[in-house]
Short mmCIF file of all heavy atoms in Angstrom, two decimals:
data_model
loop_
_atom_site.label_atom_id
_atom_site.label_comp_id
_atom_site.label_asym_id
_atom_site.label_seq_id
_atom_site.Cartn_x
_atom_site.Cartn_y
_atom_site.Cartn_z
N THR A 1 -104.59 25.10 -131.42
CA THR A 1 -105.88 25.75 -131.33
C THR A 1 -106.97 24.74 -131.64
O THR A 1 -106.69 23.62 -132.08
CB THR A 1 -105.96 26.93 -132.32
OG1 THR A 1 -105.78 26.41 -133.64
CG2 THR A 1 -104.92 27.99 -132.02
N ASP A 2 -108.20 25.15 -131.44
CA ASP A 2 -109.31 24.24 -131.71
C ASP A 2 -109.44 23.90 -133.19
O ASP A 2 -110.12 22.95 -133.56
CB ASP A 2 -110.62 24.78 -131.16
CG ASP A 2 -111.07 26.07 -131.83
OD1 ASP A 2 -110.27 26.71 -132.54
OD2 ASP A 2 -112.24 26.45 -131.63
N GLY A 3 -108.76 24.66 -134.05
CA GLY A 3 -108.78 24.34 -135.47
C GLY A 3 -108.17 22.98 -135.75
O GLY A 3 -108.55 22.31 -136.72
N LEU A 4 -107.28 22.53 -134.92
CA LEU A 4 -106.67 21.21 -135.10
C LEU A 4 -107.66 20.11 -134.72
O LEU A 4 -107.94 19.22 -135.51
CB LEU A 4 -105.40 21.10 -134.24
CG LEU A 4 -104.55 19.87 -134.51
CD1 LEU A 4 -103.09 20.22 -134.44
CD2 LEU A 4 -104.87 18.78 -133.54
N THR A 5 -108.22 20.18 -133.53
CA THR A 5 -109.13 19.11 -133.09
C THR A 5 -110.48 19.17 -133.80
O THR A 5 -111.18 18.17 -133.87
CB THR A 5 -109.35 19.16 -131.56
OG1 THR A 5 -109.81 20.45 -131.19
CG2 THR A 5 -108.06 18.83 -130.82
N GLU A 6 -110.83 20.33 -134.35
CA GLU A 6 -112.10 20.47 -135.06
C GLU A 6 -111.94 20.36 -136.58
O GLU A 6 -112.89 20.60 -137.32
CB GLU A 6 -112.78 21.78 -134.68
CG GLU A 6 -113.22 21.79 -133.23
CD GLU A 6 -113.84 23.11 -132.79
OE1 GLU A 6 -113.98 24.03 -133.61
OE2 GLU A 6 -114.20 23.20 -131.60
N ALA A 7 -110.75 19.97 -137.03
CA ALA A 7 -110.56 19.72 -138.46
C ALA A 7 -111.46 18.54 -138.84
O ALA A 7 -111.55 17.55 -138.11
CB ALA A 7 -109.10 19.40 -138.75
N GLU A 8 -112.13 18.67 -139.99
CA GLU A 8 -113.12 17.66 -140.39
C GLU A 8 -112.67 16.88 -141.61
O GLU A 8 -112.05 17.42 -142.51
CB GLU A 8 -114.45 18.33 -140.72
CG GLU A 8 -115.12 19.00 -139.54
CD GLU A 8 -116.46 19.61 -139.91
OE1 GLU A 8 -117.19 19.01 -140.71
OE2 GLU A 8 -116.76 20.70 -139.39
N ASN A 9 -113.07 15.61 -141.62
CA ASN A 9 -112.82 14.80 -142.81
C ASN A 9 -113.98 15.00 -143.79
O ASN A 9 -114.87 15.84 -143.56
CB ASN A 9 -112.61 13.31 -142.45
CG ASN A 9 -113.82 12.66 -141.82
OD1 ASN A 9 -114.92 13.19 -141.82
ND2 ASN A 9 -113.60 11.48 -141.26
N MET A 10 -114.00 14.24 -144.86
CA MET A 10 -114.99 14.43 -145.92
C MET A 10 -116.43 14.12 -145.49
O MET A 10 -117.36 14.58 -146.12
CB MET A 10 -114.63 13.56 -147.14
CG MET A 10 -113.29 13.96 -147.77
SD MET A 10 -113.26 15.65 -148.34
CE MET A 10 -113.81 15.42 -150.01
N ILE A 11 -116.59 13.36 -144.40
CA ILE A 11 -117.96 13.05 -143.96
C ILE A 11 -118.35 13.85 -142.72
O ILE A 11 -119.35 13.56 -142.07
CB ILE A 11 -118.17 11.53 -143.74
CG1 ILE A 11 -117.21 10.97 -142.69
CG2 ILE A 11 -118.04 10.78 -145.04
CD1 ILE A 11 -117.48 9.52 -142.32
N GLY A 12 -117.55 14.86 -142.39
CA GLY A 12 -117.91 15.77 -141.31
C GLY A 12 -117.50 15.35 -139.91
O GLY A 12 -117.91 15.97 -138.94
N GLU A 13 -116.65 14.31 -139.79
CA GLU A 13 -116.16 13.90 -138.47
C GLU A 13 -115.01 14.81 -138.07
O GLU A 13 -114.17 15.16 -138.89
CB GLU A 13 -115.66 12.46 -138.50
CG GLU A 13 -116.70 11.43 -138.77
CD GLU A 13 -116.10 10.04 -138.91
OE1 GLU A 13 -115.02 9.90 -139.54
OE2 GLU A 13 -116.72 9.11 -138.39
N TYR A 14 -114.97 15.17 -136.78
CA TYR A 14 -113.86 15.95 -136.25
C TYR A 14 -112.65 15.05 -136.01
O TYR A 14 -112.78 13.90 -135.63
CB TYR A 14 -114.23 16.60 -134.91
CG TYR A 14 -115.17 17.77 -135.02
CD1 TYR A 14 -116.16 17.96 -134.07
CD2 TYR A 14 -115.07 18.70 -136.04
CE1 TYR A 14 -117.02 19.04 -134.13
CE2 TYR A 14 -115.93 19.78 -136.11
CZ TYR A 14 -116.91 19.94 -135.16
OH TYR A 14 -117.75 21.02 -135.24
N TYR A 15 -111.46 15.63 -136.16
CA TYR A 15 -110.23 14.93 -135.79
C TYR A 15 -110.28 14.58 -134.31
O TYR A 15 -110.03 13.45 -133.93
CB TYR A 15 -109.01 15.80 -136.13
CG TYR A 15 -107.70 15.14 -135.85
CD1 TYR A 15 -107.20 14.16 -136.71
CD2 TYR A 15 -106.96 15.47 -134.74
CE1 TYR A 15 -105.99 13.55 -136.46
CE2 TYR A 15 -105.74 14.87 -134.48
CZ TYR A 15 -105.27 13.91 -135.34
OH TYR A 15 -104.07 13.30 -135.08
N GLY A 16 -110.58 15.53 -133.47
CA GLY A 16 -110.86 15.29 -132.07
C GLY A 16 -109.65 15.17 -131.16
O GLY A 16 -108.53 14.92 -131.60
N GLN A 17 -109.90 15.35 -129.88
CA GLN A 17 -108.85 15.27 -128.87
C GLN A 17 -108.32 13.86 -128.69
O GLN A 17 -107.13 13.66 -128.45
CB GLN A 17 -109.35 15.82 -127.54
CG GLN A 17 -109.53 17.31 -127.54
CD GLN A 17 -109.95 17.84 -126.18
OE1 GLN A 17 -110.20 17.11 -125.24
NE2 GLN A 17 -110.02 19.16 -126.08
N ALA A 18 -109.19 12.86 -128.81
CA ALA A 18 -108.75 11.47 -128.60
C ALA A 18 -107.70 11.08 -129.63
O ALA A 18 -106.69 10.45 -129.28
CB ALA A 18 -109.94 10.53 -128.66
N ARG A 19 -107.90 11.45 -130.89
CA ARG A 19 -106.91 11.14 -131.93
C ARG A 19 -105.60 11.87 -131.65
O ARG A 19 -104.51 11.32 -131.82
CB ARG A 19 -107.43 11.52 -133.31
CG ARG A 19 -108.39 10.54 -133.90
CD ARG A 19 -108.73 10.92 -135.35
NE ARG A 19 -109.66 9.98 -135.91
CZ ARG A 19 -110.98 10.08 -135.80
NH1 ARG A 19 -111.52 11.09 -135.15
NH2 ARG A 19 -111.77 9.18 -136.34
N LEU A 20 -105.70 13.13 -131.23
CA LEU A 20 -104.51 13.91 -130.92
C LEU A 20 -103.73 13.26 -129.78
O LEU A 20 -102.51 13.10 -129.86
CB LEU A 20 -104.89 15.34 -130.57
CG LEU A 20 -103.74 16.26 -130.17
CD1 LEU A 20 -102.71 16.36 -131.28
CD2 LEU A 20 -104.30 17.64 -129.81
N VAL A 21 -104.41 12.87 -128.73
CA VAL A 21 -103.75 12.22 -127.59
C VAL A 21 -103.09 10.92 -128.02
O VAL A 21 -101.96 10.63 -127.63
CB VAL A 21 -104.76 11.99 -126.44
CG1 VAL A 21 -104.18 11.08 -125.36
CG2 VAL A 21 -105.19 13.32 -125.84
N ASP A 22 -103.77 10.14 -128.88
CA ASP A 22 -103.18 8.88 -129.35
C ASP A 22 -101.88 9.13 -130.11
O ASP A 22 -100.89 8.41 -129.91
CB ASP A 22 -104.16 8.13 -130.27
CG ASP A 22 -105.30 7.50 -129.50
OD1 ASP A 22 -105.20 7.35 -128.26
OD2 ASP A 22 -106.31 7.15 -130.15
N VAL A 23 -101.85 10.14 -130.97
CA VAL A 23 -100.64 10.46 -131.73
C VAL A 23 -99.53 10.87 -130.77
O VAL A 23 -98.39 10.41 -130.89
CB VAL A 23 -100.91 11.56 -132.78
CG1 VAL A 23 -99.61 12.04 -133.40
CG2 VAL A 23 -101.86 11.06 -133.84
N ILE A 24 -99.85 11.73 -129.82
CA ILE A 24 -98.83 12.20 -128.87
C ILE A 24 -98.28 11.03 -128.05
O ILE A 24 -97.07 10.94 -127.84
CB ILE A 24 -99.41 13.29 -127.96
CG1 ILE A 24 -99.72 14.54 -128.79
CG2 ILE A 24 -98.45 13.62 -126.82
CD1 ILE A 24 -100.55 15.58 -128.06
N LYS A 25 -99.14 10.13 -127.62
CA LYS A 25 -98.66 8.96 -126.86
C LYS A 25 -97.71 8.11 -127.67
O LYS A 25 -96.71 7.62 -127.15
CB LYS A 25 -99.85 8.12 -126.39
CG LYS A 25 -100.59 8.70 -125.22
CD LYS A 25 -101.73 7.80 -124.80
CE LYS A 25 -102.48 8.35 -123.61
NZ LYS A 25 -103.61 7.48 -123.23
N ARG A 26 -98.01 7.93 -128.95
CA ARG A 26 -97.14 7.11 -129.81
C ARG A 26 -95.80 7.78 -130.07
O ARG A 26 -94.80 7.11 -130.29
CB ARG A 26 -97.83 6.84 -131.16
CG ARG A 26 -98.95 5.84 -131.11
CD ARG A 26 -99.34 5.35 -132.51
NE ARG A 26 -99.36 6.37 -133.53
CZ ARG A 26 -100.46 7.02 -133.95
NH1 ARG A 26 -101.63 6.76 -133.40
NH2 ARG A 26 -100.39 7.91 -134.92
N LEU A 27 -95.78 9.10 -130.07
CA LEU A 27 -94.59 9.83 -130.50
C LEU A 27 -93.83 10.50 -129.37
O LEU A 27 -92.87 11.22 -129.62
CB LEU A 27 -95.01 10.92 -131.51
CG LEU A 27 -95.72 10.45 -132.76
CD1 LEU A 27 -96.22 11.65 -133.55
CD2 LEU A 27 -94.81 9.58 -133.59
N HIS A 28 -94.20 10.27 -128.13
CA HIS A 28 -93.67 11.06 -127.01
C HIS A 28 -92.14 11.05 -126.91
O HIS A 28 -91.55 11.99 -126.38
CB HIS A 28 -94.30 10.63 -125.69
CG HIS A 28 -93.81 9.31 -125.18
ND1 HIS A 28 -94.34 8.12 -125.61
CD2 HIS A 28 -92.85 9.01 -124.30
CE1 HIS A 28 -93.71 7.13 -125.01
NE2 HIS A 28 -92.80 7.64 -124.20
N ASP A 29 -91.47 10.04 -127.43
CA ASP A 29 -90.01 9.99 -127.36
C ASP A 29 -89.32 10.65 -128.55
O ASP A 29 -88.11 10.78 -128.56
CB ASP A 29 -89.52 8.54 -127.27
CG ASP A 29 -89.76 7.94 -125.89
OD1 ASP A 29 -89.78 8.69 -124.90
OD2 ASP A 29 -89.93 6.71 -125.81
N GLU A 30 -90.09 11.08 -129.53
CA GLU A 30 -89.52 11.70 -130.73
C GLU A 30 -89.11 13.15 -130.45
O GLU A 30 -89.62 13.78 -129.52
CB GLU A 30 -90.56 11.69 -131.86
CG GLU A 30 -90.97 10.31 -132.31
CD GLU A 30 -89.89 9.59 -133.10
OE1 GLU A 30 -88.99 10.26 -133.66
OE2 GLU A 30 -89.95 8.35 -133.16
N PRO A 31 -88.24 13.72 -131.27
CA PRO A 31 -87.93 15.15 -131.14
C PRO A 31 -89.19 15.99 -131.37
O PRO A 31 -90.07 15.59 -132.14
CB PRO A 31 -86.90 15.39 -132.26
CG PRO A 31 -86.36 14.04 -132.59
CD PRO A 31 -87.46 13.06 -132.31
N VAL A 32 -89.25 17.14 -130.72
CA VAL A 32 -90.48 17.94 -130.79
C VAL A 32 -90.81 18.36 -132.22
O VAL A 32 -91.99 18.43 -132.58
CB VAL A 32 -90.43 19.17 -129.85
CG1 VAL A 32 -90.43 18.73 -128.40
CG2 VAL A 32 -89.25 20.07 -130.15
N GLN A 33 -89.81 18.62 -133.05
CA GLN A 33 -90.08 19.00 -134.43
C GLN A 33 -90.76 17.85 -135.18
O GLN A 33 -91.67 18.08 -135.98
CB GLN A 33 -88.79 19.39 -135.17
CG GLN A 33 -88.10 20.60 -134.60
CD GLN A 33 -87.14 20.27 -133.46
OE1 GLN A 33 -87.10 19.16 -132.94
NE2 GLN A 33 -86.36 21.26 -133.05
N ARG A 34 -90.32 16.64 -134.93
CA ARG A 34 -90.93 15.47 -135.57
C ARG A 34 -92.35 15.25 -135.06
O ARG A 34 -93.24 14.91 -135.83
CB ARG A 34 -90.07 14.23 -135.33
CG ARG A 34 -90.60 12.99 -136.02
CD ARG A 34 -89.51 11.97 -136.24
NE ARG A 34 -90.02 10.67 -136.62
CZ ARG A 34 -90.49 10.35 -137.82
NH1 ARG A 34 -90.52 11.26 -138.77
NH2 ARG A 34 -90.93 9.14 -138.08
N ILE A 35 -92.58 15.46 -133.77
CA ILE A 35 -93.93 15.34 -133.22
C ILE A 35 -94.85 16.33 -133.92
O ILE A 35 -95.94 15.97 -134.37
CB ILE A 35 -93.93 15.57 -131.69
CG1 ILE A 35 -93.18 14.45 -130.98
CG2 ILE A 35 -95.36 15.69 -131.16
CD1 ILE A 35 -92.94 14.69 -129.50
N ARG A 36 -94.39 17.58 -134.04
CA ARG A 36 -95.19 18.60 -134.73
C ARG A 36 -95.51 18.16 -136.15
O ARG A 36 -96.66 18.19 -136.58
CB ARG A 36 -94.43 19.92 -134.75
CG ARG A 36 -95.15 21.04 -135.50
CD ARG A 36 -94.21 22.10 -136.01
NE ARG A 36 -93.20 21.52 -136.88
CZ ARG A 36 -91.98 22.00 -137.02
NH1 ARG A 36 -91.58 23.04 -136.32
NH2 ARG A 36 -91.12 21.42 -137.84
N ASP A 37 -94.49 17.76 -136.87
CA ASP A 37 -94.68 17.39 -138.27
C ASP A 37 -95.63 16.20 -138.43
O ASP A 37 -96.48 16.19 -139.32
CB ASP A 37 -93.34 17.07 -138.93
CG ASP A 37 -92.44 18.29 -139.06
OD1 ASP A 37 -92.92 19.44 -138.88
OD2 ASP A 37 -91.23 18.10 -139.32
N LEU A 38 -95.49 15.22 -137.58
CA LEU A 38 -96.32 14.02 -137.68
C LEU A 38 -97.76 14.27 -137.23
O LEU A 38 -98.69 13.66 -137.77
CB LEU A 38 -95.69 12.85 -136.93
CG LEU A 38 -94.40 12.34 -137.57
CD1 LEU A 38 -93.75 11.27 -136.71
CD2 LEU A 38 -94.66 11.81 -138.98
N ILE A 39 -97.96 15.16 -136.26
CA ILE A 39 -99.33 15.53 -135.89
C ILE A 39 -100.00 16.22 -137.08
O ILE A 39 -101.13 15.86 -137.46
CB ILE A 39 -99.35 16.45 -134.66
CG1 ILE A 39 -98.98 15.68 -133.39
CG2 ILE A 39 -100.73 17.11 -134.49
CD1 ILE A 39 -98.78 16.55 -132.17
N LEU A 40 -99.31 17.18 -137.69
CA LEU A 40 -99.90 17.89 -138.83
C LEU A 40 -100.13 16.93 -140.00
O LEU A 40 -101.16 17.03 -140.68
CB LEU A 40 -99.00 19.05 -139.24
CG LEU A 40 -98.91 20.17 -138.20
CD1 LEU A 40 -97.89 21.22 -138.65
CD2 LEU A 40 -100.27 20.81 -137.95
N HIS A 41 -99.23 16.00 -140.22
CA HIS A 41 -99.42 15.00 -141.27
C HIS A 41 -100.64 14.13 -140.98
O HIS A 41 -101.45 13.85 -141.88
CB HIS A 41 -98.16 14.12 -141.41
CG HIS A 41 -98.33 13.01 -142.39
ND1 HIS A 41 -98.31 13.22 -143.75
CD2 HIS A 41 -98.53 11.69 -142.20
CE1 HIS A 41 -98.50 12.06 -144.36
NE2 HIS A 41 -98.63 11.12 -143.44
N ASP A 42 -100.79 13.72 -139.73
CA ASP A 42 -101.93 12.88 -139.35
C ASP A 42 -103.25 13.63 -139.54
O ASP A 42 -104.22 13.05 -140.03
CB ASP A 42 -101.77 12.41 -137.89
CG ASP A 42 -102.68 11.24 -137.57
OD1 ASP A 42 -102.57 10.20 -138.25
OD2 ASP A 42 -103.51 11.37 -136.65
N VAL A 43 -103.28 14.91 -139.16
CA VAL A 43 -104.49 15.71 -139.35
C VAL A 43 -104.81 15.82 -140.85
O VAL A 43 -105.96 15.63 -141.26
CB VAL A 43 -104.35 17.10 -138.71
CG1 VAL A 43 -105.51 18.01 -139.10
CG2 VAL A 43 -104.27 16.98 -137.20
N ASN A 44 -103.80 16.12 -141.66
CA ASN A 44 -104.02 16.25 -143.10
C ASN A 44 -104.48 14.94 -143.73
O ASN A 44 -105.36 14.94 -144.60
CB ASN A 44 -102.75 16.76 -143.79
CG ASN A 44 -102.49 18.20 -143.48
OD1 ASN A 44 -103.41 18.99 -143.28
ND2 ASN A 44 -101.22 18.58 -143.44
N THR A 45 -103.92 13.83 -143.29
CA THR A 45 -104.34 12.52 -143.79
C THR A 45 -105.79 12.25 -143.40
O THR A 45 -106.58 11.80 -144.21
CB THR A 45 -103.42 11.41 -143.24
OG1 THR A 45 -102.08 11.67 -143.67
CG2 THR A 45 -103.86 10.05 -143.71
N PHE A 46 -106.14 12.55 -142.16
CA PHE A 46 -107.50 12.36 -141.67
C PHE A 46 -108.50 13.18 -142.49
O PHE A 46 -109.57 12.70 -142.83
CB PHE A 46 -107.59 12.74 -140.19
CG PHE A 46 -108.99 12.73 -139.65
CD1 PHE A 46 -109.59 11.55 -139.25
CD2 PHE A 46 -109.72 13.92 -139.55
CE1 PHE A 46 -110.89 11.55 -138.76
CE2 PHE A 46 -111.01 13.92 -139.06
CZ PHE A 46 -111.60 12.72 -138.67
N CYS A 47 -108.13 14.41 -142.81
CA CYS A 47 -109.05 15.31 -143.52
C CYS A 47 -109.24 14.94 -144.98
O CYS A 47 -110.18 15.42 -145.62
CB CYS A 47 -108.55 16.75 -143.41
SG CYS A 47 -108.71 17.40 -141.75
N GLU A 48 -108.37 14.10 -145.52
CA GLU A 48 -108.51 13.60 -146.89
C GLU A 48 -108.68 14.72 -147.91
O GLU A 48 -109.47 14.61 -148.85
CB GLU A 48 -109.69 12.64 -146.99
CG GLU A 48 -109.64 11.48 -146.03
CD GLU A 48 -110.92 10.68 -145.99
OE1 GLU A 48 -112.02 11.27 -145.93
OE2 GLU A 48 -110.82 9.45 -146.04
N GLY A 49 -107.97 15.83 -147.73
CA GLY A 49 -108.08 16.93 -148.67
C GLY A 49 -109.22 17.89 -148.41
O GLY A 49 -109.37 18.89 -149.12
N ASN A 50 -110.03 17.63 -147.41
CA ASN A 50 -111.11 18.54 -147.05
C ASN A 50 -110.47 19.82 -146.50
O ASN A 50 -109.70 19.76 -145.56
CB ASN A 50 -112.02 17.90 -145.99
CG ASN A 50 -113.32 18.63 -145.80
OD1 ASN A 50 -113.86 19.20 -146.74
ND2 ASN A 50 -113.84 18.60 -144.60
N PRO A 51 -110.79 20.97 -147.07
CA PRO A 51 -110.14 22.21 -146.62
C PRO A 51 -110.53 22.59 -145.20
O PRO A 51 -111.68 22.42 -144.80
CB PRO A 51 -110.61 23.26 -147.62
CG PRO A 51 -111.87 22.71 -148.20
CD PRO A 51 -111.75 21.22 -148.14
N SER A 52 -109.57 23.10 -144.46
CA SER A 52 -109.82 23.54 -143.10
C SER A 52 -110.60 24.86 -143.11
O SER A 52 -110.31 25.75 -143.91
CB SER A 52 -108.50 23.73 -142.36
OG SER A 52 -108.73 24.20 -141.05
N LEU A 53 -111.57 24.99 -142.24
CA LEU A 53 -112.35 26.21 -142.13
C LEU A 53 -111.84 27.11 -141.02
O LEU A 53 -112.39 28.18 -140.77
CB LEU A 53 -113.84 25.87 -141.90
CG LEU A 53 -114.48 25.02 -142.99
CD1 LEU A 53 -115.91 24.67 -142.61
CD2 LEU A 53 -114.43 25.70 -144.35
N ASP A 54 -110.81 26.68 -140.34
CA ASP A 54 -110.25 27.43 -139.20
C ASP A 54 -108.73 27.35 -139.27
O ASP A 54 -108.17 26.47 -139.93
CB ASP A 54 -110.77 26.81 -137.90
CG ASP A 54 -110.62 27.71 -136.69
OD1 ASP A 54 -110.06 28.81 -136.81
OD2 ASP A 54 -111.07 27.31 -135.60
N ASP A 55 -108.09 28.26 -138.56
CA ASP A 55 -106.62 28.19 -138.50
C ASP A 55 -106.21 27.02 -137.61
O ASP A 55 -106.97 26.57 -136.77
CB ASP A 55 -106.03 29.49 -137.95
CG ASP A 55 -106.39 29.72 -136.50
OD1 ASP A 55 -107.59 29.62 -136.16
OD2 ASP A 55 -105.50 29.97 -135.69
N ILE A 56 -105.00 26.53 -137.85
CA ILE A 56 -104.43 25.48 -137.01
C ILE A 56 -103.10 26.00 -136.48
O ILE A 56 -102.19 26.29 -137.24
CB ILE A 56 -104.22 24.17 -137.79
CG1 ILE A 56 -105.57 23.58 -138.19
CG2 ILE A 56 -103.41 23.17 -136.98
CD1 ILE A 56 -105.47 22.30 -139.00
N THR A 57 -103.04 26.15 -135.17
CA THR A 57 -101.81 26.57 -134.50
C THR A 57 -101.42 25.47 -133.53
O THR A 57 -102.25 24.96 -132.79
CB THR A 57 -102.01 27.89 -133.75
OG1 THR A 57 -102.46 28.88 -134.67
CG2 THR A 57 -100.73 28.35 -133.09
N LEU A 58 -100.15 25.10 -133.55
CA LEU A 58 -99.68 23.97 -132.76
C LEU A 58 -98.35 24.33 -132.12
O LEU A 58 -97.45 24.82 -132.79
CB LEU A 58 -99.52 22.76 -133.69
CG LEU A 58 -98.96 21.48 -133.11
CD1 LEU A 58 -99.87 20.90 -132.05
CD2 LEU A 58 -98.76 20.47 -134.23
N LEU A 59 -98.25 24.10 -130.84
CA LEU A 59 -97.01 24.31 -130.10
C LEU A 59 -96.69 23.01 -129.36
O LEU A 59 -97.52 22.50 -128.61
CB LEU A 59 -97.17 25.46 -129.09
CG LEU A 59 -96.01 25.71 -128.14
CD1 LEU A 59 -94.80 26.21 -128.91
CD2 LEU A 59 -96.42 26.72 -127.08
N VAL A 60 -95.51 22.47 -129.61
CA VAL A 60 -95.09 21.25 -128.94
C VAL A 60 -94.00 21.62 -127.95
O VAL A 60 -93.01 22.24 -128.30
CB VAL A 60 -94.56 20.20 -129.95
CG1 VAL A 60 -94.11 18.95 -129.23
CG2 VAL A 60 -95.62 19.88 -130.99
N VAL A 61 -94.20 21.23 -126.69
CA VAL A 61 -93.26 21.53 -125.61
C VAL A 61 -92.88 20.23 -124.92
O VAL A 61 -93.75 19.41 -124.63
CB VAL A 61 -93.89 22.50 -124.58
CG1 VAL A 61 -92.94 22.75 -123.43
CG2 VAL A 61 -94.31 23.80 -125.25
N ARG A 62 -91.60 20.05 -124.68
CA ARG A 62 -91.16 18.88 -123.93
C ARG A 62 -90.74 19.33 -122.54
O ARG A 62 -89.84 20.15 -122.38
CB ARG A 62 -89.98 18.20 -124.62
CG ARG A 62 -89.50 16.97 -123.84
CD ARG A 62 -88.40 16.22 -124.53
NE ARG A 62 -88.64 15.95 -125.93
CZ ARG A 62 -89.42 14.95 -126.40
NH1 ARG A 62 -90.04 14.16 -125.57
NH2 ARG A 62 -89.56 14.78 -127.69
N TYR A 63 -91.40 18.79 -121.53
CA TYR A 63 -91.04 19.07 -120.14
C TYR A 63 -90.00 18.04 -119.71
O TYR A 63 -90.23 16.85 -119.80
CB TYR A 63 -92.27 19.01 -119.24
CG TYR A 63 -91.95 19.17 -117.78
CD1 TYR A 63 -91.60 20.41 -117.27
CD2 TYR A 63 -91.97 18.09 -116.92
CE1 TYR A 63 -91.30 20.58 -115.94
CE2 TYR A 63 -91.66 18.25 -115.57
CZ TYR A 63 -91.33 19.49 -115.08
OH TYR A 63 -91.02 19.65 -113.78
N THR A 64 -88.88 18.52 -119.24
CA THR A 64 -87.80 17.60 -118.85
C THR A 64 -87.57 17.58 -117.34
O THR A 64 -86.62 16.98 -116.88
CB THR A 64 -86.49 17.96 -119.56
OG1 THR A 64 -86.13 19.30 -119.23
CG2 THR A 64 -86.63 17.82 -121.07
N GLY A 65 -88.41 18.25 -116.59
CA GLY A 65 -88.27 18.25 -115.14
C GLY A 65 -87.54 19.47 -114.64
O GLY A 65 -87.10 20.32 -115.40
N ASP A 66 -87.42 19.56 -113.34
CA ASP A 66 -86.74 20.70 -112.70
C ASP A 66 -85.28 20.75 -113.12
O ASP A 66 -84.61 19.74 -113.22
CB ASP A 66 -86.83 20.59 -111.18
CG ASP A 66 -88.25 20.73 -110.68
OD1 ASP A 66 -89.08 21.33 -111.40
OD2 ASP A 66 -88.53 20.24 -109.58
N THR A 67 -84.79 21.96 -113.33
CA THR A 67 -83.39 22.13 -113.69
C THR A 67 -82.56 22.71 -112.55
O THR A 67 -81.42 23.06 -112.72
CB THR A 67 -83.26 23.05 -114.93
OG1 THR A 67 -83.87 24.30 -114.62
CG2 THR A 67 -83.90 22.42 -116.14
N ILE A 68 -83.15 22.80 -111.39
CA ILE A 68 -82.46 23.36 -110.24
C ILE A 68 -81.62 22.30 -109.55
O ILE A 68 -81.90 21.19 -109.43
CB ILE A 68 -83.48 23.96 -109.23
CG1 ILE A 68 -84.21 25.10 -109.92
CG2 ILE A 68 -82.78 24.41 -107.98
CD1 ILE A 68 -85.31 25.71 -109.07
#
């Protein structure tokens, strides 16, 4: 949800889509559970303890191509 990309650090900067894309690119070969955990860890690290004002919902899906 937008709560993830709009999570703010102590000086009011948003985590943003660019940071999210960078994390996903670095982790694309990892298991989806690890991707989820590391994205949430990265957001929490970025926020430096600043409380979230919105919910954060995250779904990680791996597309493996046609199965037909």
Side-chain angles (χ1 to χ4, degrees):
T1 61
D2 65 346
L4 190 142
T5 55
E6 293 177 2
E8 295 182 38
N9 63 12
M10 297 300 269
I11 59 173
E13 295 174 319
Y14 287 142
Y15 183 77
Q17 289 184 355
R19 281 187 181 87
L20 178 59
V21 169
D22 287 343
V23 171
I24 293 168
K25 284 181 179 179
R26 286 194 320 263
L27 301 173
H28 74 276
D29 285 332
E30 297 287 338
V32 293
Q33 297 87 349
R34 183 157 167 76
I35 293 171
R36 178 204 58 210
D37 293 346
L38 292 175
I39 288 171
L40 293 175
H41 175 75
D42 196 58
V43 171
N44 288 328
T45 300
F46 173 82
C47 290
E48 304 171 314
N50 194 33
S52 178
L53 301 176
D54 197 357
D55 67 310
I56 293 179
T57 303
L58 176 64
L59 174 67
V60 179
V61 177
R62 180 176 313 280
Y63 175 74
T64 59
D66 294 337
T67 58
I68 297 176

